[in-house]
Amino acid sequence: MTLPKPSLEDIEIHLLLEGVYQYYGYDFRNYALSSLKRRIQSFMELEGLANVSALQERLLHNRAYLERFLLTLTVNVTSMFRDPSFYHTFRNQVIPFLQTYPFIRIWHAGCSTGEEVYSMAILLQEEGLYHRCRIYATDTNEKVLQSAKSGIFSLKLMQEYTQLYLKAGGKKSFSEYYTAAYDNAIFRASLRENVVFAQHNLATDSSFNEFNVILCRNVLIYFNQVLQKRVHELFYNSLCTFGILGLGRQESIRFTPYEQYYEEIVKGEKLYKKIAGA
């Protein structure tokens, strides 16, 4: 059987991703190709570039240009208390379990600009657990990590976030957690006291601790099966026994090598417990 010949554009994209990996260490080679192509094409249109080879020439000779490209290539769509039923389930089903631990390590992998990190910090504060938690918030993109560290978000979003917070089981007035300043909402510094923001690439980097909870929501959908398998292995090896894995709405552990080693906490909420004897 003869395999279909790849298009010239696919060849150029392959060479581009290989070059970025070899020269800068950013590995996008196993991201879902269709999604990558859309983002690359969008970037080229904005920059007025005729083809992928022209893009590669600029990227490999201009580090500042690469930084702009990375902001396009990495997907940074997020919000506070996104999918509020997930947080409601976490509050009611996972928090009682975490209360049995003297110290809790949580890894937010692919944290983007940090909205979900602050959401979890708020939830943990309200449940009286934040003081014994350490949250590791990681992303491959240094620019979005800097944004996450600032804890500053658009004030225009606060009305929407308030509604999501309440649906997630919020117990206070959401406005207590931030100060309005011009067009910005500046979140309490106390929400960052137990958060470590750090660069970590799921495609190339290894585990760095043992965790009670790993949250990686709406990230795996942008990876191909090879990279998804690698990341599931990384998470499995990084979770303690009975540790909790939280995924995005469109993600699952089904059809992965580790499916049998987890049990779903509440059907449909994509919260899984790593079971004993795995």
Side-chain angles (χ1 to χ4, degrees), residues 7-240:
S7 68
L8 178 60
E9 183 182 48
D10 286 351
I11 293 171
E12 286 183 309
I13 289 175
H14 171 76
L15 294 172
L16 169 72
L17 299 179
E18 188 64 35
V20 168
Y21 172 66
Q22 293 292 339
Y23 195 65
Y24 295 111
Y26 292 102
D27 193 355
F28 297 98
R29 296 172 299 174
N30 284 312
Y31 278 51
L33 182 60
S34 59
S35 179
L36 270 181
K37 287 174 71 172
R38 287 194 300 271
R39 281 174 273 158
I40 290 172
Q41 288 165 353
S42 175
F43 184 80
M44 290 193 304
E45 288 175 9
L46 288 172
E47 297 294 321
L49 298 174
N51 52 55
V52 179
S53 293
L55 172 60
Q56 177 177 283
E57 194 277 332
R58 289 201 187 183
L59 287 176
L60 296 182
H61 292 87
N62 189 331
R63 176 77 193 211
Y65 199 81
L66 173 79
E67 297 297 336
R68 291 213 310 275
F69 177 67
L70 291 178
L71 287 173
T72 299
L73 210 59
T74 53
V75 180
N76 301 305
V77 179
T78 184
S79 70
M80 299 196 77
F81 295 97
R82 186 179 187 180
D83 302 323
S85 63
F86 175 91
Y87 288 92
H88 198 279
T89 301
F90 193 97
R91 190 187 293 267
N92 293 325
Q93 301 294 328
V94 177
I95 288 295
F97 170 70
L98 294 180
Q99 286 171 338
T100 64
Y101 288 95
F103 189 76
I104 303 155
R105 292 186 181 91
I106 299 173
W107 179 14
H108 264 277
C111 70
S112 187
T113 44
E115 283 87 338
E116 294 193 57
V117 177
Y118 288 91
S119 301
M120 184 55 63
I122 289 170
L123 189 156
L124 292 167
Q125 275 199 1
E126 291 185 351
E127 297 301 327
L129 279 182
Y130 186 70
H131 66 286
R132 46 185 162 123
C133 290
R134 177 76 71 209
I135 301 175
Y136 297 85
T138 67
D139 200 279
T140 188
N141 192 318
E142 183 63 32
K143 290 283 187 181
V144 299
L145 282 173
Q146 291 300 325
S147 178
K149 288 178 186 178
S150 74
I152 301 173
F153 304 104
S154 172
L155 191 60
K156 294 178 182 178
L157 296 170
M158 292 307 111
Q159 185 174 355
E160 175 191 348
Y161 289 173
T162 298
Q163 295 304 312
L164 293 173
Y165 163 76
L166 293 173
K167 290 179 181 177
K171 296 181 176 180
K172 295 185 178 182
S173 170
F174 188 61
S175 60
E176 291 183 27
Y177 293 106
Y178 65 86
T179 301
Y182 299 101
D183 295 330
N184 295 319
I186 304 171
F187 277 76
R188 285 184 188 173
S190 62
L191 295 172
R192 296 190 296 277
E193 285 180 356
N194 293 347
V195 181
V196 177
F197 292 97
Q199 202 166 11
H200 183 277
N201 191 332
L202 291 171
T204 55
D205 295 338
S206 57
S207 179
F208 55 93
N209 216 322
E210 184 178 63
F211 299 95
N212 304 98
V213 178
I214 296 178
L215 303 171
C216 184
R217 307 187 65 234
N218 306 297
V219 176
L220 292 173
I221 53 175
Y222 298 106
F223 297 165
N224 68 14
Q225 288 185 343
V226 173
L227 186 50
Q228 286 181 11
K229 182 179 178 182
R230 181 196 193 276
V231 174
H232 275 295
E233 180 178 6
L234 175 64
F235 290 164
Y236 173 78
N237 290 330
S238 301
L239 273 176
C240 65

